[in-house]
Amino acid sequence: MALASLIANVGLIVTGAAVRLTDSGLGCPTWPKCTDGSYTTTQAMGVHGVIEFGNRLLTFVLAAIALACFILALLERPRRKRQVRLSLGVLLGIPGQGVIGGITVLTNLNPWVVGLHFLLSMALIVAAYALWRSTGEGDGAPVSLVPAPLRHLTWLTFLASAAVVVLGVIVTGSGPHSGDNGAKRNGLDPAAISQAHADVVFLLVGLTIALYFAFRAVDAPGPARAALILFAVEMGQGLIGFVQYFTHLPVALVAAHMLGAGLVWTSTLAVVWSIRERPAVAAGPPTADTPAPAQQPVPAT
């Protein structure tokens, strides 16, 4: 269920992109209703209304999965507080996502609010990823698998990846795919902000390459493999990004680039998680209710 939650939250990025790329952002022109007189789309609203309303319905799918994760975390024995907290965080984030989505409609797709909507999706991916990884590890204190300088380099790579995401959001707010023909743009020069975005992408790729070879040098195969996967995803995403820019942002490539953003972010999280492990919590000393194990006989000397 935790993996389903992660996949669904990444998928929401793609469906949100479909709304914007088909100019269906105001297919339901108000919120929380779809129209002033109906909570659902009407025949008169056409395909744009169907696409926008369909995306709204996906919120309930995500909420159902998140609720199932939370219930399962409560029912698990022994109960793991970290899983309860993480699953609750994902569950509470989904209605928050819906509210921000409603504000985007009420502000006629203000690009800064739309960007915030996307960034909250990225935050939910972090929580969903942490929940999923918690199912395969213990609740003991994290144990580092690499030296401190490489931990610092890993977190620097994480910050670079986050900067790429934020600048990508700003690039989107300056471009042509606004979600509706009448929606405003953020007023920034698309070429200049795209160049800044590309510069940070080059930084991210360079840091990823450095991580891979550094992990190899200290004989950390797990982190090295995660860094190599991140590099491969970055190369695919970079290729799509350059092609879409020089072909004037065709809809199909923009949608693929949005999916790629979610995959780069998830792969970055995989690198962060790869540099440490969490063992199971060590059993405490025996209590009155838990007798000590029987002593083994000592051989005679």
Side-chain angles (χ1 to χ4, degrees):
M1 290 306 299
L3 179 59
S5 179
L6 174 61
I7 293 172
N9 276 283
V10 174
L12 187 65
I13 295 175
V14 181
T15 62
V19 172
R20 182 167 56 84
L21 295 171
T22 57
D23 291 330
S24 302
L26 295 178
C28 287
T30 188
W31 186 87
K33 293 184 176 181
C34 190
T35 68
D36 289 335
S38 174
Y39 281 98
T40 63
T41 185
T42 63
Q43 186 174 1
M45 299 169 69
V47 66
H48 294 307
V50 172
I51 293 173
E52 165 62 8
F53 183 69
N55 191 58
R56 292 187 182 190
L57 288 180
L58 286 177
T59 300
F60 295 98
V61 176
L62 263 69
I65 296 174
L67 179 60
C69 287
F70 180 61
I71 293 174
L72 289 172
L74 290 176
L75 295 177
E76 188 174 7
R77 294 293 182 271
R79 181 177 296 171
R80 301 175 61 188
K81 293 181 179 179
R82 184 159 61 98
Q83 288 189 339
V84 173
R85 289 194 299 267
L86 287 169
S87 59
L88 181 60
V90 176
L91 179 59
L92 295 179
I94 291 172
Q97 180 79 309
V99 170
I100 295 178
I103 294 174
T104 65
V105 172
L106 298 177
T107 57
N108 294 318
L109 307 183
N110 181 292
W112 299 107
V113 181
V114 173
L116 179 62
H117 193 45
F118 179 83
L119 293 178
L120 180 55
S121 286
M122 291 305 204
L124 282 173
I125 287 173
V126 175
Y129 186 86
L131 177 62
W132 174 55
R133 288 298 296 262
S134 74
T135 62
E137 60 186 13
D139 291 322
V143 177
S144 179
L145 301 177
V146 298
L150 292 189
R151 295 199 300 272
H152 299 156
L153 184 59
T154 299
W155 282 108
L156 184 59
T157 304
F158 172 83
L159 292 176
S161 185
V164 167
V165 169
V166 172
L167 285 171
V169 168
I170 298 175
V171 170
T172 299
S174 68
H177 298 297
S178 62
D180 185 81
N181 292 330
K184 295 181 179 180
R185 304 283 71 206
N186 60 26
L188 299 176
D189 178 33
I193 195 65
S194 295
Q195 183 61 59
H197 177 61
D199 291 342
V200 181
V201 168
F202 289 136
L203 173 63
L204 174 61
V205 172
L207 289 170
T208 304
I209 294 173
L211 269 182
Y212 171 73
F213 285 107
F215 289 149
R216 290 285 302 273
V218 299
D219 193 24
R225 183 169 54 251
L228 184 60
I229 293 173
L230 173 58
F231 175 74
V233 175
E234 289 167 352
M235 290 297 97
Q237 176 74 333
L239 177 62
I240 295 172
F242 276 108
V243 173
Q244 73 164 4
Y245 181 80
F246 290 109
T247 55
H248 307 292
L249 304 176
V251 168
L253 286 181
V254 174
H257 200 56
M258 296 290 287
L259 173 60
L263 296 179
V264 168
W265 186 236
T266 306
S267 300
T268 301
L269 297 177
V271 174
V272 173
W273 257 258
S274 73
I275 65 173
R276 94 289 182 275
E277 61 182 6
R278 295 186 72 130
V281 178
T287 64
D289 296 327
T290 306
Q295 296 292 326
Q296 298 296 322
V298 178
T301 57

